[in-house]
Amino acid sequence: MNAVIPSRAKKTLLWLQAGSCGGCTMSVLEVGAKGFMRELQAFGIDLLWHPSLSEESGSEAIEIFEDVAEGRRPLDILCIEGSIMMGPDGTGLYSRMAGTGKTTLDWVRRLAPRARYCVAVGTCAAFGGIPAAQPFSEDVSGLQYGDGLEGGALGRDFRSLSGMPVINIAGCAPHPGWIMETLGAIAFDEFAATDLDKLGRPRFYAKTLAHHGCDRNEYYEFKASAEKLSDLGCMMEHLGCKATQAVGDCNQRAWNGGGSCTHGGFSCIACTSPGFEAANGFLKTPKVAGIPVGLPLDMPKAWFVALAALSKSATPERVRKNATSDRVTTDPQRGKAGRE
């Protein structure tokens, strides 16, 4: 029999959408066999309101916001999805919450200090994301990071009631597991500031690179590169793949049962990183003197150039041929000594 969690012990969650396409909500609805609502229930989280999932609307929803803002109803987790519209001139008037007479910026600044934890769901809420691309970067912001990085809508010194900065579940959209594992850790009081990286992202997925676990890694090791998107080879050299520069365990946990960007034949665009929307080189790798501008995060350029040259000189014929094909054309062969 499942244990019944007393209502007083349950954590409360309020979810707001700011400047958002709704993709983060769509992502989290894919979570697990039980689904989002049942997983929240299993964690002992009471969903006060969500714009797409809750029955309350109009005055009923506004009453919930006011009760939290005025301290009449405790709030454990405030999740905000989407970019914060700061313009024009810092007023936030580009985005008003219907029926309240207040901007989304006003509500975020009223509600965030009342929450034990403040969670930015997705890169838009974390760093500004797509809506913060030029020419709108000065009018759009993340919760604690904006165009000038530290600061954002809440300010660099903001801390929630738990003493934590904003938890940035960056990704466009973030994996549903990243969202639910963060909420679960909070629900069981197992989340601390030491669990965040230097940009406020949960380390359980930000401690690795999207490159790790990629099924094209043999091609990467030999620098056997794809020349067009349908090719099997590594997409870093020519097709703008940034998996060696982006944090995330995207290739180590399945999306929708078994996929990832690179597994599906598409370059990693580093969507967990601030400023990815302004990156030079979507689907085409920018180069200087034939050397890719974006190199692996923790490798000096000279080392990379030397290793790349050595790797290419040792590339097996099988790997070289398959890299520029849309299917395996050359199978592994026995070596001269009779071994595979």
Side-chain angles (χ1 to χ4, degrees):
M1 180 181 295
N2 292 331
V4 177
I5 299 175
S7 59
R8 293 284 295 176
K10 288 185 176 182
K11 299 291 195 297
T12 55
L13 185 154
L14 177 63
W15 186 299
L16 297 182
Q17 280 186 338
S20 169
C21 67
C24 300
T25 287
M26 292 297 294
S27 176
V28 81
L29 290 179
E30 292 285 343
V31 68
K34 293 182 178 180
F36 178 54
M37 298 300 292
R38 289 192 176 181
E39 288 214 1
L40 288 182
Q41 185 180 28
F43 291 155
I45 296 176
D46 181 18
L47 181 63
L48 298 181
W49 192 77
H50 185 291
S52 301
L53 305 176
S54 297
E55 295 180 356
E56 297 89 351
S57 62
S59 61
E60 296 171 321
I62 294 171
E63 183 179 355
I64 295 173
F65 304 157
E66 288 288 357
D67 283 348
V68 171
E70 296 299 322
R72 294 187 292 268
R73 182 178 295 204
L75 178 62
D76 292 292
I77 307 167
L78 175 65
C79 285
I80 297 175
E81 173 184 3
S83 310
I84 308 302
M85 303 299 163
M86 305 289 288
D89 301 321
T91 64
L93 290 173
Y94 283 157
S95 175
R96 304 190 194 200
M97 195 169 291
T100 68
K102 295 182 176 65
T103 67
T104 304
L105 176 62
D106 290 334
W107 280 111
V108 166
R109 287 176 171 171
R110 289 185 70 195
L111 295 170
R114 294 291 188 181
R116 288 189 62 232
Y117 297 89
C118 188
V119 179
V121 183
T123 296
C124 289
F127 307 126
I130 295 294
Q134 290 291 346
F136 306 110
S137 59
E138 293 183 2
D139 292 326
V140 179
S141 180
L143 289 174
Q144 208 161 15
Y145 291 88
D147 184 41
L149 285 187
E150 285 191 294
L154 295 175
R156 63 179 298 175
D157 296 324
F158 168 81
R159 296 295 182 270
S160 61
L161 293 179
S162 64
M164 293 270 288
V166 174
I167 299 169
N168 291 318
I169 310 178
C172 189
H175 191 287
W178 302 348
I179 300 171
M180 295 310 298
E181 288 179 29
T182 301
L183 295 181
I186 291 172
F188 294 109
D189 297 317
E190 294 292 338
F191 205 99
T194 52
D195 295 313
L196 300 175
D197 75 354
K198 64 181 181 180
L199 290 175
R201 299 170 295 198
R203 290 191 66 254
F204 70 82
Y205 81 85
K207 66 184 178 182
T208 188
L209 295 173
H211 170 70
H212 298 154
C214 178
D215 56 6
R216 296 169 183 256
N217 275 353
E218 182 182 33
Y219 298 104
Y220 170 80
E221 290 166 1
F222 286 110
K223 302 301 176 285
S225 300
E227 296 178 359
K228 55 186 181 300
L229 285 176
S230 60
D231 290 346
L232 298 179
C234 177
M235 295 181 285
M236 175 188 172
E237 184 176 8
H238 302 308
L239 299 178
C241 186
K242 298 178 175 64
T244 59
Q245 304 160 50
V247 303
D249 57 7
C250 312
N251 277 302
Q252 297 178 58
R253 63 168 85 204
W255 287 70
N256 298 323
S260 72
C261 292
T262 56
H263 183 76
F266 198 85
S267 301
C268 170
I269 59 175
C271 72
T272 58
S273 306
F276 91 96
E277 70 282 351
N280 178 20
F282 283 133
L283 306 186
K284 184 176 181 180
T285 304
K287 302 175 184 178
V288 174
I291 301 173
V293 172
L295 297 178
L297 286 181
D298 44 9
M299 180 177 288
K301 182 182 294 186
W303 291 11
F304 179 84
V305 173
L307 287 173
L310 181 62
S311 296
K312 285 191 175 187
S313 67
T315 305
E317 186 70 5
R318 167 184 62 86
V319 176
R320 185 183 63 79
K321 288 183 176 180
N322 290 336
T324 53
S325 173
D326 63 358
R327 68 201 70 192
V328 173
T329 61
T330 306
D331 299 334
Q333 303 293 320
R334 289 185 179 275
K336 291 182 180 180
R339 296 187 295 272
E340 294 289 349

